[in-house]
Amino acid sequence: MPVPARPPARALALAAAALSLTLAAPAQAAAPAASPATSPATSPARTLHVDALRWVGGRPQVETRTATGQAAAARLVRTLDADPAVSDAQVRTTYQLTPTGSTGLPTRRLLATDPYLRYAYHLTAVDAYAAWSTTRGAGTKVAVLDSGVDGTQPDLVGRVQQIGNFTTESDAIVVDHGTEVATVVAGAYGNGVGSAGVAPDVTILAGKVCEQSGCSSDAIVAGITAAVKAGANVVNLSLGGPDYNRTIAAAVDWATAQGVVVVASAGNSGDQGNPVEYPAAYPGVVSVSASTTAGAAAAWAQHNASVDLSAPGEAIPAGAPGKSGSYAYLSVSGTSFSAPQVSAAAALLHTVAPRADVATVTGWLTGTVAKKAWPDGYGAGMLDVAAAVKAAQAAQTAPPPSTGTSSGTATVPRVRRPLRPVPVVTTS
């Protein structure tokens, strides 16, 4: 389908909407604080995993040890914290692949026959079509660290590079969520199949960091490390939960220091306590909330001071992995699908301004938004892809920003440790 000469109005709404799987945990305390421990006297001792972050060849590497019971785990964390070679140690955090149960989030449904571009109102809402005359993202890599990506999906075939399975689950198990996120980023345009992504020519680096039981912190760190090593320009994390994790925070710091833009979904519990969620709330991460099909702020989406901007999060057409030789296309909803639109926009900015640093790219994304009369907490406004690309183009006429040169090494950030929270030891 050709690029429409006069695309429909940004506020074009779809009556049909759908519920997606979300990588969000139940609402909990927003700030990174120690969780109360269950008394060993009231519960049987159990094996806990403790992750220690070391640096090998300038890259973060997680080593895992086990301890029986909370007291032993707490002692192990203190011992590891005292090791000069360990920058961070914490009992493993797991983010869940579970629906939020929000009554405000639209339901999931199967789309009819192809083509589905007519359902892709979000491409007009974020003004993606106008950006494609400049770039569609060829040569740029977006890492989708998720539940796995099916590289045979028709809208992705030939543009998926598998960078590893960091879970204990089989490669053969590919939950729909990761493939759907990847098609929102990079679904092919003009191929007569499905819909289209916001950056339809980018390459997807697929890292499996989530299994059906959840997304463990050690897998997420390993996925971030592998993505940067594979040349990712952007990392998309459509996952989250209320627990702060020191090892993930350190890996994010390292990735952004290498010039990689990290984008995460803000969460889908805005109408159920509206907690701050991680990794969206880590410093340096671009946190994305959501709007409705009508262009209003989505009440079900997290909205708080950590959010940078918003993108459409309801009734987004997305492709699922293959099952018995067929590939379903669904209408999906959640900040899991607003975040990849911003990841795609960041990838387009990289093709226009490959030497721009993370702060500059983030500034283009947030500084060119379409302003909305929304309540506080939804960031600067609605993503405007064409305006961001135009700003990046204009900046290329001036001297390029100084990004410095990376030595390829990393120093263990000991000076920051007093500012970090007390290590968390939980049994959940």
Side-chain angles (χ1 to χ4, degrees):
M1 179 177 178
V3 176
R6 296 177 184 271
R10 293 189 180 204
L12 180 63
L14 293 179
L19 171 68
S20 75
L21 288 173
T22 66
L23 302 179
Q28 188 174 311
S35 299
T38 302
S39 169
T42 61
S43 62
R46 55 174 294 193
T47 299
L48 298 176
H49 297 278
V50 176
D51 295 330
L53 192 65
R54 300 177 186 270
W55 298 84
V56 179
R59 297 189 178 99
Q61 178 174 298
V62 172
E63 295 178 2
T64 300
R65 301 186 187 183
T66 58
T68 302
Q70 296 174 100
R75 287 194 299 270
L76 180 55
V77 168
R78 289 194 294 270
T79 298
L80 290 168
D81 266 341
D83 184 345
V86 173
S87 68
D88 299 271
Q90 184 174 342
V91 170
R92 181 174 295 170
T93 298
T94 300
Y95 298 149
Q96 297 296 320
L97 275 162
T98 54
T100 63
S102 168
T103 56
L105 189 62
T107 55
R108 179 186 182 96
R109 73 181 181 89
L110 187 68
L111 291 177
T113 57
D114 138 89
Y116 311 117
L117 199 60
R118 66 184 181 273
Y119 294 102
Y121 78 100
H122 67 292
L123 295 177
T124 299
V126 300
D127 209 11
Y129 291 116
W132 292 353
S133 60
T134 301
T135 177
R136 296 185 188 180
T140 303
K141 298 178 180 180
V142 176
V144 174
L145 303 184
D146 211 287
S147 60
V149 176
D150 183 357
T152 70
Q153 211 287 333
D155 266 335
L156 299 173
V157 67
R159 290 182 296 113
V160 176
Q161 178 183 337
Q162 301 291 344
I163 61 172
N165 177 1
F166 308 101
T167 73
T168 58
E169 191 174 73
S170 168
D171 286 337
I173 301 175
V174 180
V175 178
D176 290 5
H177 192 276
T179 304
E180 291 168 353
V181 167
T183 62
V184 175
V185 173
Y189 176 73
N191 63 339
V193 178
S195 180
V198 173
D201 289 351
V202 305
T203 296
I204 294 294
L205 302 180
K208 183 177 171 71
V209 301
C210 301
E211 50 192 74
Q212 293 178 94
S213 61
C215 319
S216 65
S217 50
D218 60 320
I220 294 169
V221 171
I224 291 172
T225 304
V228 176
K229 183 178 179 181
N233 306 111
V234 182
V235 168
N236 186 87
L237 296 168
S238 286
L239 52 87
D243 295 321
Y244 178 91
N245 183 277
R246 291 167 58 185
T247 61
I248 299 176
V252 166
D253 278 348
W254 171 75
T256 55
Q258 309 306 304
V260 178
V261 178
V262 180
V263 180
S265 50
N268 301 337
S269 302
D271 55 355
Q272 294 185 333
N274 194 34
V276 171
E277 290 202 0
Y278 302 93
Y282 292 133
V285 174
V286 181
S287 174
V288 186
S289 188
S291 61
T292 68
T293 55
W300 51 261
Q302 248 83 335
H303 45 285
N304 49 58
S306 72
V307 172
D308 293 294
L309 75 167
S310 296
E314 293 184 355
I316 308 299
K323 295 176 183 176
S324 302
S326 87
Y327 297 84
Y329 283 81
L330 301 100
S331 177
V332 297
S333 300
T335 58
S336 282
F337 304 103
S338 52
Q341 295 172 56
V342 174
S343 291
L348 297 182
L349 295 177
H350 178 80
T351 62
V352 173
R355 294 200 292 172
D357 60 18
V358 171
T360 301
V361 171
T362 302
W364 286 329
L365 290 170
T366 59
T368 60
V369 294
K371 300 291 185 180
K372 300 290 183 179
W374 290 343
D376 291 340
Y378 290 88
M382 171 76 84
L383 171 68
D384 189 325
V385 181
V389 168
K390 185 177 179 180
Q393 279 184 301
Q396 302 319 293
T397 62
S402 174
T403 58
T405 27
S406 172
S407 64
T409 61
T411 302
V412 177
R414 302 293 292 182
V415 294
R416 299 182 55 200
R417 299 186 68 156
L419 302 178
R420 290 177 174 158
V422 175
V424 176
V425 178
T426 69
T427 58
S428 60

